[in-house]
Structure formats: C-alpha cells, structure tokens
C-alpha cells in the first residue's frame, strides 16, 4: 500500500509523509507526465523539479536503459496495468546504481484513470549479487528457470532456452516447456511438476528427462532440480530451479551398461562351460583313478607272487621286481592324491559351525602312530569355532600336521605348535589377500622345528606337484599344500608361509570371522 494519495483533483499536492520515506516516490497524470517526485528523488539525483517533472526523469536514467524504461512505462500507462522494471539511475555525483521502479494505476471514485503512483528502490547490491550468481551459474553450464504459477509467467535463462533448442529471444511459457520434452517423458515430467506445486508438498523437484529441440530437433538428456516456495496461505507463489545437460554422461552410462551386460553374458557362458568342464573333470578323475588303480593292484599282487614262487630263479632280477612294485606304489599314491584334489569343490556347499578343537583331536588320532614313532610334541592352543566344510578343514589340518611330521630334522624331536590370534581387516599384512570381505580374521599358525626351506621357494610351494626335496629323501606327490590352499580359498581366507633352512616352517591360515 502506498503511504500517500495525490489530491483527487489530480494536482501535485501530496501528504507531507511522502518526503519522509527512505525511498523515492513519484506520481504521474493520465497522459504519463510525472507530476510529483518526493524530496528523496531530488536529493539522490541532484535534479531540480523543472528538470525532472514531465518526462525529464528519464534523463537521469542510464543511456543504455532509458529507451527500454520509457517503453515499459508508457505501455503500462496505455494499458493501465501495474509494471516493474530495473534500470541504472545517475546520482548527483555522476555515479550509477541499480534501481527497481514499480508503479500501480490510480483511479477516482467513478473509475476514471488518473495516472500512476510508484516508488524507486535501490537494489544495487542485490543486482550485483544476482549478476555474480548468474556468472557463476553460467560457468557451470547450468540453465535456470523461474516460474510463477499464479500468473503463468515463466522466465528462462539463455542456457535453459538453448537446452530446449530455442533462441535467446524466444518467448516461453509452460506449454512450450511441455512441447520441448520427449513424448515418452512428457506425462511423467508434468506429473512431477504438478505434484511439487500442490499445497502441502515438500516442494523439492529432482528429475531426469529427454528434450527434443523445438527448432533444432536435437535429442538431449537433462537433469532438473528445483524448489517451490509457498505463501502464508500454503499456496505456491514461486517455483525456481536449474537444468543441466547430462547427455554425454547418459550416453556413456548406456554404453557402459551395454558392455557390462555383454561381459556379464560372456562370463555366464564361461562359468557354465567351466562348471561343465569341472563336472567332466571330476567324473574323469574318479573313473580314471578307479580304472588305473586296478591294474596297479594287479602289478603289486603278481609281483608278490613272482617274489614268493620264483625269487631263487630270478636272482638279481628280484631288484628290478622290487623297483617295479615301488613305482606302482608311488603311482597308486599319486592317483589317490589327484582324486582327493579333484574332489575339492570351488565353494563350500553347505557350511556349518565347526569346532576346530574337536576336528583337530580326530586328526591327531589319525596321526597317532607317526606321532608315537617320532616322539613328536604337539602343543595346541584353544581353537575357534568357524563356519565351513568339516571334510575340507580336516584335509587342511591333516596335510599341515603331516608335513610338519614328515619334514623333521634328523635326531631332533619334532615340536609342532598351533596358536591362534585375531586380526582386524585393516591390520592384515600386505601379502594377505582373503577372497571374502570380513571385519576380522582368525589367524591360525602351525609352526614346527623341522628342516625348513629357502624363502625364495615360498611362491611355488602351494603349486601342484611342486617338491622342494628329493623323492629319495621324503615321500609324497607335492599335492598336499595345493589342497591346503584350495581349502582355505574355498572358505574365503588366505594362507601364507615363513621358513628358513634348518629353522623350521610356520604356516599362517586366515579364516573370516563372519
């Protein structure tokens, strides 16, 4: 509400209150000529009344803004409609500041148009801030929009218009907005906009949609974010936001998704082939081991018959017969170990809670004869309960303890110690890379005082058929530690080893806690 009224006669007589206001106030007559300016105008511009009244006020407006300011005012005067415009106004010292000039028509009791009454407010700091914000927004390649749902006024930045394939001087409204959206996205986008304009909504707007350039026909992907603002009655009075061209990102993602889908399909095919191959391999290993063991048994049986019935006739040939039977025995052990290795599944089919203390006791019972013969001392710390496959974990400890007993130093009583500690994931040694993520791991160490080996041989010790010592010294096929590594991997863990010649060996098994 304006705090003063011109005299009904249309003269320039005005209530004195207008001169006390901190803003510039003006009054015009029906023909558009300015008939009153308060003292604030004269103090700011340095103009005299004879200079400013009529249309002289326009001479204080910056030359780049004066033409547009005059056009806006006189069009509003002719239409007798409110107006608001921004222009730079010259101060008495020659400097310019941005002002907002707003006016409303006035009428007498009979509805006769008398002219306008309005005010001029300093918005210089706000305008500078808006310009800086505009530069910042433009530097990020964002388009901006401002929508008044009450009047239907829609203001787009030049960048926003460009994203819809429109020139900078194009007029826009909500129908133009909908027209520029891809037909497949139009209804859903409109529904989201209408939802945020409803009273009681959160007013937050975040959506992706495609546009088809209205003049250039170019397809673009846009990401739009906005916020609606509500008046005291809960009605939306402003809806503003930004749009960003995400076409390149979207296309890159689509290409990536296609490649991922293709690779996933290829991996599925490879996995299917691997499963079929593994099944065939396991079947072959079982059949081959069964078929190969039978002739080996016959070789050993017939060898025993030959030695029993014809030893005297064979003479020195008995030595060849013994060598033949020993070779057959080694072949039988190798086939048995290969069968055990081939039966190890790549996963634990039905894991269950395993008390490792109980499992280890049964392993020690199986090794009781060797332990007694060697006089070995076994020191076992309390072991944890883990999720796993009892058969596979039994193989793990059977091989680790069997190796410790086998590779003992001559004339030295074997000492084997099994210890346990907990390690959080962040504290794992760099060389330990478990196959399953876990917050923590059980570290089970099996150490001995045996012959040990050169540390440079550690990388190949878990490979199939790898032997660090001659067959004449120590029996075995070189498969046991490969089985250990497979068992630990199947349980999502890792296994490492430390050793020095003549100083024993220590295996560290890491099993997930969860």
């Amino acid at each position: 509400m304006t705090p003063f009224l011109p005299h009904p006669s249309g003269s320039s007589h005005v209530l004195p209150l207008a001169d006390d206001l901190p803003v510039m106030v003006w009054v015009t007559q029906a023909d558009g000529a300015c008939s009153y300016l308060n003292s604030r105008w004269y103090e700011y511009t340095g103009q005299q009344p004879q200079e400013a009244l009529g249309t002289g006020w326009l001479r204080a407006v910056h030359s780049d803004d004066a033409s547009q300011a005059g056009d806006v005012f006189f069009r509003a005067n002719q239409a007798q409609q409110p107006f608001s415009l921004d222009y730079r106004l010259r101060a008495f010292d020659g400097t310019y500041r941005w002002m907002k000039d707003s006016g409303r028509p006035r009428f007498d009791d009979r509805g006769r148009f008398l002219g306008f009454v309005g005010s001029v407010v300093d918005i210089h700091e706000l305008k500078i801030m808006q310009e800086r914000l505009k530069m910042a927004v433009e530097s990020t390649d964002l388009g901006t929009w401002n929508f008044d749902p009450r009047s239907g006024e829609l203001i787009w930045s030049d960048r926003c218009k460009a994203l819809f394939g429109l020139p900078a001087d194009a007029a826009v409204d909500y129908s133009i907005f909908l027209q520029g959206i891809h037909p497949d996205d139009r209804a859903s986008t409109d529904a989201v906009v209408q939802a945020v304009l409803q009273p009681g909504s959160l007013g937050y707007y975040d959506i992706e949609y495609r546009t088809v350039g209205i003049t250039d026909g170019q397809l673009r992907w846009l990401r739009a974010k906005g916020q609606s603002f509500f008046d005291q009655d809960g009605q939306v009075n402003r809806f503003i936001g930004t749009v960003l061209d995400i076409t390149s990102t979207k296309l890159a993602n689509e290409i990536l998704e296609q490649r991922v889908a293709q690779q996933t399909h290829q991996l599925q095919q490879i996995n299917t082939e691997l499963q079929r191959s593994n099944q065939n391999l396991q079947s072959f290993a079982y059949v081959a081991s069964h078929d190969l063991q039978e002739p080996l048994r016959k070789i050993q049986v017939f060898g025993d018959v030959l030695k029993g019935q014809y030893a005297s006739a064979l003479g020195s040939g008995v030595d060849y017969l013994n060598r033949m039977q020993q070779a057959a025995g080694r072949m039988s052990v190798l086939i048995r170990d290969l069968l055990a290795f081939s039966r190890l599944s790549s996963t634990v089919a039905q894991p269950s809670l395993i008390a490792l203390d109980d499992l280890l006791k049964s392993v020690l019972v199986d090794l009781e004869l060797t332990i007694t013969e060697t006089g070995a001392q076994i020191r076992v710390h309390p072991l944890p309960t883990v999720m796993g496959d009892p058969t596979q974990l039994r193989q793990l400890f059977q091989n680790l303890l069997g190796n410790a007993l086998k590779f003992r130093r001559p004339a030295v009583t074997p000492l084997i110690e099994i210890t346990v500690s907990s390690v959080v994931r962040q504290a794992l040694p760099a060389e330990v890379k478990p196959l399953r993520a876990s917050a923590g791991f059980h570290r089970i160490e099996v150490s001995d005082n045996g012959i040990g080996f050169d540390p440079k041989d550690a990388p190949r010790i878990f490979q199939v058929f790898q032997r660090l010592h001659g067959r004449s010294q120590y029996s075995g096929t070189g498969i046991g530690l490969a089985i250990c590594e497979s068992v630990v991997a199947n349980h999502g863990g890792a296994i490492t080893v430390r050793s020095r010649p003549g100083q024993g060996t220590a295996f560290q098994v890491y099993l997930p806690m969860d």
Side-chain angles (χ1 to χ4, degrees):
M1 176 180 291
T2 305
F4 71 93
L5 292 173
H7 192 276
S9 65
S11 70
S12 61
H13 173 70
V14 185
L15 293 175
L17 180 61
D19 282 333
D20 296 330
L21 293 175
V23 297
M24 292 171 264
V25 177
W26 54 266
V27 180
T28 65
Q29 296 177 341
D31 61 359
C34 182
S35 57
Y36 171 80
L37 287 161
N38 71 344
S39 59
R40 177 66 180 139
W41 175 275
Y42 299 119
E43 292 170 0
Y44 179 81
T45 64
Q47 284 186 319
Q48 297 298 317
Q50 61 270 23
E51 295 179 85
L53 296 177
T55 58
W57 61 274
L58 279 169
R59 286 192 289 272
V61 177
H62 194 287
S63 58
D64 292 345
D65 304 332
S67 177
Q68 180 185 16
D71 290 345
V72 170
F73 170 73
F74 287 111
R75 283 200 302 269
N77 190 75
Q78 183 177 6
Q80 300 176 13
Q81 294 290 330
F83 75 91
S84 180
L85 64 98
D86 298 345
Y87 55 70
R88 286 161 290 180
L89 186 64
R90 185 183 67 243
F92 69 92
D93 61 359
T95 60
Y96 286 88
R97 291 181 67 84
W98 279 98
M99 304 288 172
K100 180 174 284 294
D101 195 338
S102 303
R104 299 184 67 83
R106 55 191 180 89
F107 302 90
D108 62 16
D109 294 340
R110 292 176 293 177
R112 185 176 59 180
F113 176 58
L114 300 178
F116 273 77
V117 60
S119 61
V120 179
V121 179
D122 189 326
I123 60 166
H124 190 74
E125 281 72 22
L126 177 62
K127 195 75 174 180
I128 296 301
M129 184 174 65
Q130 289 176 336
E131 288 298 321
R132 289 175 179 172
L133 178 61
K134 180 181 178 182
M135 291 174 62
V137 168
E138 288 177 350
S139 68
T140 61
D141 208 28
L142 287 171
T144 60
W145 43 268
N146 189 327
F147 179 52
D148 183 347
R150 297 170 300 182
S151 66
E153 178 188 30
L154 180 60
I155 301 173
W156 281 1
S157 67
D158 293 348
R159 177 58 179 163
C160 188
K161 291 178 181 179
L163 294 176
F164 279 73
L166 292 171
D169 59 353
V172 294
D173 56 24
Y174 191 71
S175 64
I176 294 294
F177 165 68
L178 291 179
Q179 179 185 341
I181 295 177
H182 191 285
D184 292 344
D185 301 339
R186 190 173 296 154
S188 59
T189 303
D190 181 45
V192 173
V193 173
Q194 298 306 323
V196 300
L197 296 179
Q198 294 301 312
S201 77
L202 295 176
Y204 182 65
Y205 174 75
D206 188 350
I207 191 173
E208 294 180 2
Y209 53 77
R210 290 164 291 179
T211 63
V212 180
I214 295 175
T215 59
D216 60 12
Q218 184 176 341
L219 179 68
R220 301 176 179 88
W221 272 99
L222 302 187
R223 173 77 178 273
K225 291 187 175 183
Q227 180 70 53
S228 56
F229 297 88
F230 300 84
D231 60 21
Q232 59 185 3
D233 298 324
Q235 301 297 317
V236 177
N237 57 21
R238 188 64 60 183
F239 183 37
I240 63 175
T242 61
V243 287
L244 177 67
D245 190 339
I246 59 169
T247 305
S248 58
T249 302
K250 203 74 176 178
L251 293 177
N253 287 341
E254 289 180 358
I255 293 173
L256 180 60
E257 288 174 0
Q258 290 176 358
R259 289 179 178 174
V260 169
Q262 291 173 351
Q263 291 179 355
T264 300
H265 179 66
Q266 292 174 354
L267 286 174
Q268 288 174 341
Q269 289 182 317
I270 292 172
N271 187 51
T272 301
E273 291 299 322
L274 282 175
Q275 289 179 343
R276 184 182 299 112
S277 177
N278 285 338
Q279 290 173 353
N280 291 339
L281 182 60
Q282 289 178 8
S283 299
F284 169 78
Y286 179 78
V287 173
S289 66
H290 181 272
D291 291 349
L292 288 173
Q293 290 284 16
E294 183 60 28
L296 288 175
R297 281 194 296 270
K298 289 183 178 179
I299 290 174
Q300 290 177 318
V301 169
F302 291 145
D304 289 338
V305 171
L306 285 173
K307 283 193 295 183
Q309 297 182 9
Y310 305 102
S312 58
L314 290 172
S316 61
V318 172
D319 180 55
Y320 295 110
L321 189 58
N322 288 333
R323 292 184 184 183
M324 179 188 71
Q325 286 188 298
Q326 289 171 1
R330 289 195 300 271
M331 180 63 119
S332 179
V333 172
L334 176 60
I335 292 171
R336 184 191 63 215
D337 288 350
L338 277 174
L339 180 60
F341 186 72
S342 70
R343 283 175 173 170
L344 275 179
S345 173
S346 60
T347 58
V348 178
Q350 292 182 332
S352 59
L353 280 173
I354 309 298
L356 293 182
D357 278 325
D358 295 338
L359 184 142
L360 186 62
K361 288 177 184 177
S362 65
V363 171
L364 293 176
V365 170
D366 289 345
L367 297 173
E368 186 175 6
L369 180 60
T370 305
I371 294 173
T372 301
E373 289 177 348
T374 59
Q377 298 180 24
I378 313 291
R379 297 175 184 172
V380 182
H381 293 232
L383 299 178
T385 297
V386 299
M387 290 293 295
D389 182 309
T391 302
Q392 292 191 19
L393 291 173
R394 184 184 179 87
Q395 287 179 293
L396 170 67
F397 285 101
Q398 186 98 25
N399 281 292
L400 290 179
L401 290 173
N403 266 18
L405 292 168
K406 180 193 300 183
F407 297 106
R408 61 187 181 274
R409 283 185 288 165
V412 176
T413 300
L415 174 61
I416 303 170
E417 188 169 12
I418 302 175
T419 59
V420 181
S421 59
S422 299
V423 185
V424 296
R425 181 185 61 216
Q426 295 82 352
L428 287 174
E431 69 274 13
V432 176
K433 296 178 173 54
L435 296 184
R436 194 173 80 217
S438 177
F441 293 82
H442 299 293
R443 177 167 57 194
I444 303 170
E445 182 167 280
V446 179
S447 60
D448 63 54
N449 62 344
I451 61 174
F453 60 86
D454 194 318
K456 68 180 177 60
D457 292 324
R460 64 189 184 94
I461 197 171
F462 295 107
Q463 297 176 13
V464 180
F465 301 130
Q466 290 298 316
R467 297 176 53 88
L468 305 184
H469 308 284
R471 184 180 293 110
S472 61
Q473 294 175 288
Y474 299 96
S475 62
T477 59
I479 294 178
L481 290 179
I483 290 177
C484 289
E485 185 181 49
S486 294
V487 169
V488 175
N490 290 349
H491 287 75
I495 183 170
T496 59
V497 63
R498 297 192 314 271
S499 188
R500 291 282 181 185
Q503 298 181 25
T505 302
F507 290 92
Q508 299 82 38
V509 175
Y510 295 84
L511 296 177
M513 289 182 175
D514 51 27

